[in-house]
Amino acid sequence: MKVYKIGDNILKYRFGTPFPTDAVVKAGEGIEKDSIDYFQIEEKEELKLLYKMAPKDIVFGLGENQRGINKRGGKYISFCSDDPNHTPGKRSLYGAHNFIIIDGMENFGVFIDHPGKVVFDIGFNHKDYLEITIEDKNFDLYIIEGNSPREIVSSFLNIIGEGYVPPKWAFGYQQSRWSYPDAEKVEEIADKFIENNIPCDAIYLDIDYMEDYKNFTVSEERFPNFKEFVEKMKDKGFRLIPIIDAGVKIEDGYEIYEEGVEKGYFCVNSEGEPFVAAVWPGRVHFPDFLNRESRLWFGKKYGKLIDCGIEGFWNDMNEPAIFYTNRGIEQAIEEAKKAEGKNLNIDSFFGLKDEFRDISNNIEDYKSFYHNIEGKLVNHYDVHNLYGYNMTRSADEGFKNIAPNKRFLLISRSSYIGMHRHSGIWTGDNHSWWEHILLNVKMMPSLNMCGFLYSGADTGGFSDDANGELAVRWTQFSIFTPLFRNHSAKGTRHQEPFAFDEESNSIMKEAIKLRYGLIPYIYSEYMKAIINKDIYFAPISFEYNDEYSRRVEDQLLVGDSLMISPIYEENSRGRYIWLPEDMLLWKAKDYSERKYEIVEKGHRYLDIDIDEIPIFIRKNKVLVLGKHANTVDDIDNEELVVIAFAEDKASYTYYDDDGRSLDYRDGIYSKIIIEIEKREDDYQINVENHGNKDIKRLKLEIVDREGKVTKKTINI
Ligand code: GLC
């Protein structure tokens, strides 16, 4: 074991010869050390790290996963999986995010940088023990010390590199559905947004836009004159976001397939032939995204659609999902033949059923193909969790080749830590279930801790049918998620806002308008988090360390100023909340009408009507509010409303930039620093403008401890 010191508070323990994942961007200096802090090691076939947790320790992290913000009590398996049924017992979803934080008697973070299977048993097997099992003994273990979870997260984000920033328009509302079948339908949807006056910035194109599910092709029949159509839709205010899948269809004459075979860009089987699996188009090859050349080749192909005016993509099925292989089908048929005419009992019948169920995403298949890494064949199974990450890296590298300083929208389904530098993620195929609103709430801070700030769920739920109330409540939560996309599966009930009754439509519309009004705050907080290696969504215990705050799982901090308490139960018109301090409550409906109340510290039951979104402004903090428009580009923010809950003083740093380029990386952005200080019966206001040319006026609404509102206008 070699040990490296990275900065003052991070040690990396290297076991064997790990596969380079590129998750961490900071190297360390070798030091002399022969034992591991915190953990006991058990070495058998696999390697196990053991830690005894104290009764009140909280374990945060693990990104995209089931269960609570506090991960105690569960067993989680990092193995990127195409599993569309996110029921509570599931142990693997689409991402592999091997970072946890122990917060309690001792405070430290742990990152297992390993692209194969890793099991986190966090008090499942034995309630007091954290057991991390790594199947393969070649990996890097990082231990990060810090005084608080926030400090540990920040140190971690610092070593994994700066997070992805989408274009500003990608903070607008986005509409998706598998599948709008043709250009006519897409335009009809766009027109309905316009008719209903509902802001929307993007419409997604699911697999039906392609010709026979072939990547980088567009069906001439269903989307004739694609380039003109993209332009026409942009003129109407909608960007189109096409899907790209991992598998490349095997078909003579299809350029990408032929080129890939000729140049050896696909993953191979044990005979060195391109590996064959089947997904949407039937048989496909998988591009070898772990191979630099293949990655660059595939990345350039995005240019075909970019040339048509496309500015955003979603990368899907990149775990990679496998519907079947010949091996799987043959094996199942073989078993079925053996069973023919037999009297099957409990074991043999269910065994046969499982044979068929296990045709998809089968471990045998993942073990039977290889990547070519600098001339050496590496079995896919050993590096499985890096596949989606590298597909997405390929797209990002492609964009950088085509337009080096332009931001593109990019989200991926599968991911590994480090991918957050290239794109955001959506959380895959959830259901239109109330439980999945709550899962969405709990997942957001965990994803943030692993670097994935630009994320969100399929609002309204992907599978099953949503009713109006569920769509309303989910929308009311999603207005706070950086990625705000409503998506649903083919065959389910439509769930665009106007697909429901008048009242639900109108409530969703107000919520979406509020989202646009919140963009100055959301964007400012998002960007500051990216630049300062901080998070956007946090558990409330990251700021309040009292005993109750440490237990809260269904209230979140959004940026530095806000706390939210989403509704996730049907027919509910209120809920219990814990207020760790006095806060200013705005139950937002129509955001241009604002009434405030002070809610005192303590346990409270809050009435929340179906059209209300409770927004809490923390003590001595500030919310900036703009206006809505039909698209983000059209927002006129000459005037910002500044809502402050000032017990004695409150301050805010408002960030903005061009929203399109990567110039912010060179420090090219503007800031407005607002300082409010209570002076007897009045307030002293100090405003410093560092380069903002858009905002001309600040309309302050300062609320004091007694609830008295003082209004002031400041020209800047
Ligand atoms: C996968 C994706 C989903 C998409 C569907 C069809 O299930 O997760 O979002 O709509 O494939 O492309």
Side-chain angles (χ1 to χ4, degrees):
M1 182 181 72
K2 284 192 186 137
V3 187
Y4 302 82
K5 195 172 166 65
I6 308 175
D8 288 341
N9 57 337
I10 305 179
L11 287 185
K12 168 167 101 176
Y13 300 87
R14 171 153 286 188
F15 291 79
T17 319
F19 184 88
T21 64
D22 293 339
V24 171
V25 295
K26 293 232 159 90
E29 269 177 37
I31 59 162
E32 290 295 317
K33 194 170 189 317
D34 48 21
S35 66
I36 296 180
D37 298 327
Y38 302 104
F39 288 104
Q40 224 181 297
I41 298 212
E42 236 180 63
E43 213 174 327
K44 290 187 190 144
E45 296 235 310
E46 307 170 320
L47 197 135
K48 198 174 268 185
L49 301 165
L50 282 168
Y51 176 74
K52 183 154 196 284
M53 299 181 285
K56 289 193 174 169
D57 284 0
I58 294 180
V59 180
F60 293 111
L62 289 184
E64 188 178 62
N65 250 303
Q66 283 289 357
R67 309 176 90 98
I69 296 177
N70 182 352
K71 301 299 267 198
R72 273 188 89 148
K75 188 169 174 176
Y76 313 85
I77 302 177
S78 284
F79 193 81
C80 298
S81 300
D82 165 35
D83 185 338
N85 290 307
H86 309 167
T87 43
K90 291 296 167 65
R91 290 176 172 163
S92 308
L93 297 176
Y94 310 90
H97 305 146
N98 303 337
F99 174 58
I100 56 171
I101 301 149
I102 287 87
D103 172 34
M105 290 294 283
E106 296 178 301
N107 295 296
F108 61 101
V110 182
F111 173 44
I112 310 290
D113 191 7
H114 176 60
K117 191 162 153 188
V118 181
V119 181
F120 291 85
D121 181 326
I122 309 181
F124 175 78
N125 187 27
H126 185 299
K127 74 177 179 50
D128 295 334
Y129 280 92
L130 163 66
E131 301 178 12
I132 307 173
T133 310
I134 304 108
E135 215 175 55
D136 175 325
K137 292 178 190 162
N138 299 294
F139 64 94
D140 283 328
L141 159 71
Y142 292 80
I143 295 191
I144 305 162
E145 292 182 323
N147 293 318
S148 67
R150 189 156 223 143
E151 216 179 282
I152 293 165
V153 167
S154 186
S155 294
F156 180 59
L157 297 178
N158 198 37
I159 62 164
I160 60 173
E162 191 165 296
Y164 161 78
V165 173
K168 200 174 187 179
W169 57 261
F171 286 83
Y173 176 74
Q174 310 180 34
Q175 186 62 55
S176 183
R177 176 168 172 82
W178 172 30
S179 222
Y180 300 133
D182 50 29
E184 215 174 291
K185 184 71 187 176
V186 171
E187 196 169 351
E188 183 192 313
I189 294 290
D191 290 342
K192 282 206 183 135
F193 274 97
I194 296 169
E195 264 165 48
N196 283 274
N197 241 316
I198 303 175
C200 180
D201 267 82
I203 298 184
Y204 281 62
L205 301 182
D206 209 316
I207 47 176
D208 295 62
Y209 81 88
M210 299 181 201
E211 185 193 296
D212 297 331
Y213 311 115
K214 285 183 290 196
N215 280 327
F216 309 114
T217 67
V218 177
S219 159
E220 255 304 309
E221 194 192 322
R222 292 185 302 279
F223 288 85
N225 307 318
F226 189 62
K227 192 171 179 180
E228 279 164 35
F229 180 62
V230 173
E231 221 168 275
K232 183 177 175 194
M233 293 299 293
K234 215 180 273 180
D235 286 345
K236 287 192 178 207
F238 300 84
R239 285 173 165 98
L240 299 182
I241 315 296
I243 195 168
I244 302 293
D245 285 315
V248 169
K249 184 173 193 224
I250 299 175
E251 186 183 281
D252 287 340
Y254 170 38
E255 180 201 313
I256 306 204
Y257 157 72
E258 290 192 338
E259 232 177 74
V261 171
E262 190 197 314
K263 302 263 172 61
Y265 290 149
F266 294 123
C267 294
V268 294
N269 60 20
S270 54
E271 267 90 59
E273 298 292 323
F275 174 73
V276 182
V279 204
W280 305 115
R283 296 204 169 88
V284 297
H285 292 322
F286 289 131
D288 187 354
F289 293 116
L290 274 67
N291 173 291
R292 195 172 165 272
E293 250 129 66
S294 312
R295 204 165 64 223
L296 293 176
W297 163 72
F298 195 86
K300 283 192 189 136
K301 300 294 176 198
Y302 287 79
K304 283 174 176 280
L305 293 165
I306 292 172
D307 285 346
C308 297
I310 293 296
E311 296 176 83
F313 295 88
W314 47 318
N315 280 348
D316 194 19
M317 307 298 271
N318 50 2
E319 294 71 32
I322 295 179
F323 289 173
Y324 66 89
T325 59
N326 281 353
R327 183 210 58 79
I329 298 251
E330 278 158 19
Q331 186 175 313
I333 291 175
E334 192 86 350
E335 292 303 314
K337 276 190 191 147
K338 281 193 223 156
E340 212 178 348
K342 293 234 173 83
N343 175 20
L344 302 178
N345 66 9
I346 177 173
D347 300 322
S348 46
F349 172 69
F350 286 102
L352 178 63
K353 213 170 157 189
D354 288 350
E355 277 298 333
F356 281 87
R357 193 202 55 194
D358 293 345
I359 288 175
S360 296
N361 305 319
N362 191 292
I363 296 293
E364 281 309 301
D365 291 328
Y366 289 131
K367 285 186 172 168
S368 61
F369 67 95
Y370 298 83
H371 299 274
N372 181 348
I373 315 284
E374 285 160 14
K376 246 185 73 194
L377 289 186
V378 174
N379 189 285
H380 172 78
Y381 178 80
D382 297 331
V383 289
H384 174 75
N385 291 338
L386 295 179
Y387 193 76
Y389 163 19
N390 280 283
M391 175 186 183
T392 298
R393 180 174 172 185
S394 150
D396 183 35
E397 287 168 352
F399 303 161
K400 299 267 159 37
N401 266 324
I402 295 162
N405 196 28
K406 182 181 161 100
R407 296 187 211 168
F408 285 84
L409 166 60
L410 182 61
I411 52 174
S412 170
R413 193 171 72 174
S414 186
S415 56
Y416 182 80
I417 282 179
M419 197 193 79
H420 73 293
R421 299 192 298 269
H422 302 284
S423 84
I425 60 170
W426 88 99
T427 57
D429 300 346
N430 56 11
H431 278 68
S432 298
W433 296 339
W434 289 90
E435 291 80 354
H436 278 184
I437 303 185
L438 184 58
L439 182 62
N440 186 189
V441 172
K442 294 180 182 190
M443 227 186 246
M444 287 298 115
S446 313
L447 278 170
N448 272 240
M449 293 172 208
C450 296
F452 295 97
L453 268 57
Y454 190 73
S455 55
D458 287 354
T459 299
F462 177 74
S463 301
D464 282 351
D465 297 330
N467 66 14
E469 185 167 335
L470 178 129
V472 162
R473 291 306 197 188
W474 209 322
T475 305
Q476 290 171 335
F477 169 61
S478 292
I479 66 162
F480 299 101
T481 62
L483 167 65
F484 178 20
R485 181 180 81 137
N486 175 318
H487 181 51
S488 55
K490 195 171 188 165
T492 60
R493 179 179 183 180
H494 266 262
Q495 65 190 34
E496 301 83 13
F498 35 79
F500 299 98
D501 58 280
E502 258 312 298
E503 188 190 323
S504 306
N505 180 16
S506 134
I507 299 173
M508 275 189 253
K509 172 174 156 174
E510 287 310 319
I512 295 170
K513 280 159 65 179
L514 169 62
R515 159 57 172 241
Y516 279 69
L518 287 171
I519 284 179
Y521 176 77
I522 291 175
Y523 189 69
S524 172
E525 291 303 297
Y526 183 92
M527 290 305 300
K528 285 187 289 181
I530 291 286
I531 292 168
N532 301 331
K533 309 292 182 323
D534 200 350
I535 53 179
Y536 167 86
F537 274 122
I540 69 167
S541 66
F542 270 41
E543 287 300 318
Y544 304 97
N545 207 17
D546 61 88
E547 201 188 332
Y548 293 115
S549 295
R550 287 173 67 78
R551 294 180 201 163
V552 170
E553 289 269 343
D554 58 357
Q555 298 167 213
L556 297 178
L557 297 173
V558 182
D560 189 45
S561 308
L562 304 184
M563 182 184 83
I564 57 167
S565 57
I567 292 277
Y568 51 85
E569 279 179 340
E570 190 151 37
N571 299 316
S572 159
R573 294 296 179 268
R575 54 163 286 182
Y576 288 96
I577 47 164
W578 163 245
L579 271 113
E581 63 175 349
D582 299 350
M583 290 192 191
L584 180 69
L585 170 62
W586 170 30
K587 287 186 192 168
K589 291 188 187 184
D590 173 344
Y591 76 90
S592 60
E593 285 167 24
R594 291 177 295 278
K595 279 196 211 122
Y596 307 114
E597 59 186 282
I598 309 286
V599 187
E600 286 184 359
K601 174 179 171 164
H603 297 283
R604 305 264 165 259
Y605 182 85
L606 201 70
D607 289 318
I608 305 165
D609 217 337
I610 185 72
D611 57 351
E612 291 178 325
I613 304 174
I615 299 177
F616 293 91
I617 301 174
R618 297 169 59 205
K619 200 191 281 177
N620 292 337
K621 303 280 179 186
V622 171
L623 167 64
V624 287
L625 188 70
K627 292 202 179 68
H628 76 277
N630 284 341
T631 69
V632 171
D633 289 345
D634 291 334
I635 297 178
D636 165 16
N637 274 338
E638 251 196 35
E639 188 174 289
L640 273 191
V641 175
V642 176
I643 308 164
F645 177 32
E647 182 165 65
D648 44 12
K649 56 185 172 190
S651 63
Y652 189 72
T653 301
Y654 173 68
Y655 169 104
D656 202 10
D657 60 23
D658 67 17
R660 286 187 305 264
S661 76
L662 299 171
D663 289 352
Y664 66 88
R665 290 186 174 167
D666 301 323
I668 303 176
Y669 47 75
S670 67
K671 277 185 176 177
I672 300 176
I673 301 167
I674 306 163
E675 278 168 346
I676 300 165
E677 210 172 324
K678 197 163 175 128
R679 290 279 161 86
E680 311 229 318
D681 265 358
D682 200 8
Y683 295 91
Q684 159 112 17
I685 319 281
N686 227 337
V687 177
E688 277 175 37
N689 184 358
H690 298 272
N692 190 305
K693 298 206 173 70
D694 300 328
I695 293 167
K696 303 278 181 283
R697 245 176 342 277
L698 299 178
K699 295 199 91 172
L700 285 86
E701 295 177 7
I702 310 166
V703 189
D704 71 6
R705 186 57 203 75
E706 271 65 55
K708 193 178 123 209
V709 185
T710 306
K711 294 190 178 176
K712 281 176 188 280
T713 301
I714 299 211
N715 294 319
I716 57 171

